[in-house]
Amino acid sequence: MQVASNARRLARLLRSSTVFLSLDHRFQTALVEVPRHASQPRNHSTLFFSGIGRSYHVLSASNESWCGPQSQACLARMTMMPKACYSTSPGTPTEAVKELYEKMLKSVAEQRTMPPNAWLWSLIENCATHDDIKLLFDILQRLRVFRLSNLRIHENFNCNLCREITKTCVRVGAIDFGKKALWKHNVYGLSPSVGSAHHLLRYAEQHNDAKLMMETMTLLKRNDLTLQPGTADIVFSICYNTDNWELVSKYSKRFVKAGVKLRQTSFDIWMQFAAKRGDIDSLWKIEKLRAESMKQHSVASVFSCAKGYLLERKPENAAELIQIFSRTLSDTKRPTFMVELQKLVSEWPLEVIKHQKEEDMKELAVALQNDIPSMVSSLLTLGLEVNVSMEDLTKSEAILC
């Protein structure tokens, strides 16, 4: 009886184990290989993405909380889809970039290992076309997914890589991709910084592109990137070169409010711009800010103040300021000093008159024609040896009047 009972129990156990093993075998087969026609070649990418599918379901809870439900679903789709399903068209990239891209893709997709850093840096260095940049950003997105799903690395790439990528985008002319690198929440694993933004701003400066400057400044604000003194230098320069006083007024307030310690170069551009427009009130406000942070004048700032005195019909004050400043000049700066003095006489009058209302132009032209020679005469009286030509001043007044 006991023997018969044990035999029945053992038979039931063997039957249940057989069913379990059979189900487990069918489940594994479905994951490893998709059924195909006998004449259809083996698809290695299918095998690879099936494997990723298995590993994806065991992502840690920390990954889920970091990515969020929607991002997690997106990450799953990107990881499990074949290449053709979600990559952009590569167009016509250069051979060197295409070769490096394919090597890195093979490393991630087939070998399931992180490619050497040298490959990525080499790919960045070899980018020469807009299509190359497309491949660069495509592989960056894949590397980020691989780092998250396989290596459990949540951190972005360091900011040095982001700066080099932005620099490369500017070099190639792929400004649209360069702007993508400034978003703090991006799918490429990039860590934006104000240094990256400076590459875009310098490009805007070279091309006098105020629109790109405004877009970049907006990105800096939206992504909480801290403004730097160097940012002000570039922005003020673009505003000056494009003759956009409204923009420099807008951004100067933003820099001052953010507590940015402006450099002498920024003050120089800002004050020169105010003097060029004949905006005396703004000029003296800027001078007050400059005096609070700078102990000494520069050549540009002292001549801007001298222009302010001339606009106020105070040529003697202008001469006194220039003469006192000249005592502190080194021999290396004296040629620059004389060049700026000549510009004050020959170029500035025409510039400032053009920025006035039509009914005020003639009055200002006559005033400058009288006051500038008076200032030069006062400089000679104070013992400063100056040799400037008044010919252009007379011509400018004649043209305007």
Side-chain angles (χ1 to χ4, degrees), residues 66 137 140-145 147-148 154-159 161-162 165 181 183-192:
W66 189 87
F137 274 74
L140 284 171
Q141 188 171 0
R142 294 171 186 275
L143 290 176
R144 177 178 179 271
V145 171
R147 281 157 57 97
L148 276 171
H154 296 180
E155 294 79 10
N156 287 338
F157 299 109
N158 62 48
C159 57
L161 179 67
C162 185
I165 288 173
W183 287 97
K184 63 180 178 181
H185 299 301
N186 61 81
V187 297
Y188 309 107
L190 297 176
S191 302

Side-chain angles (χ1 to χ4, degrees), residues 78 86 101 104-105 108 114-115 120-121 123-124 127 132-148 156-158 161-162 164-166 169 177 180-181 186-191:
M78 288 184 60
Y86 68 96
Y101 171 83
M104 297 178 71
L105 186 61
V108 172
M114 195 70 179
L120 180 57
W121 286 103
L123 192 153
I124 294 171
C127 282
D132 289 343
I133 299 296
K134 285 183 181 179
L135 288 186
L136 170 61
F137 274 74
D138 184 85
I139 200 65
L140 284 171
Q141 188 171 0
R142 294 171 186 275
L143 290 176
R144 177 178 179 271
V145 171
F146 184 81
R147 281 157 57 97
L148 276 171
N156 287 338
F157 299 109
N158 62 48
L161 179 67
C162 185
E164 282 301 314
I165 288 173
T166 312
C169 291
F177 280 97
K180 289 181 180 181
N186 61 81
V187 297
Y188 309 107
L190 297 176
S191 302

Side-chain angles (χ1 to χ4, degrees), residues 182 197 200-201 211-220:
L182 295 186
L200 290 172
L201 288 174
K211 182 180 178 182
L212 176 58
M213 178 201 71
M214 294 170 63
E215 291 173 350
T216 305
M217 291 297 289
T218 300
L219 287 171
L220 284 172

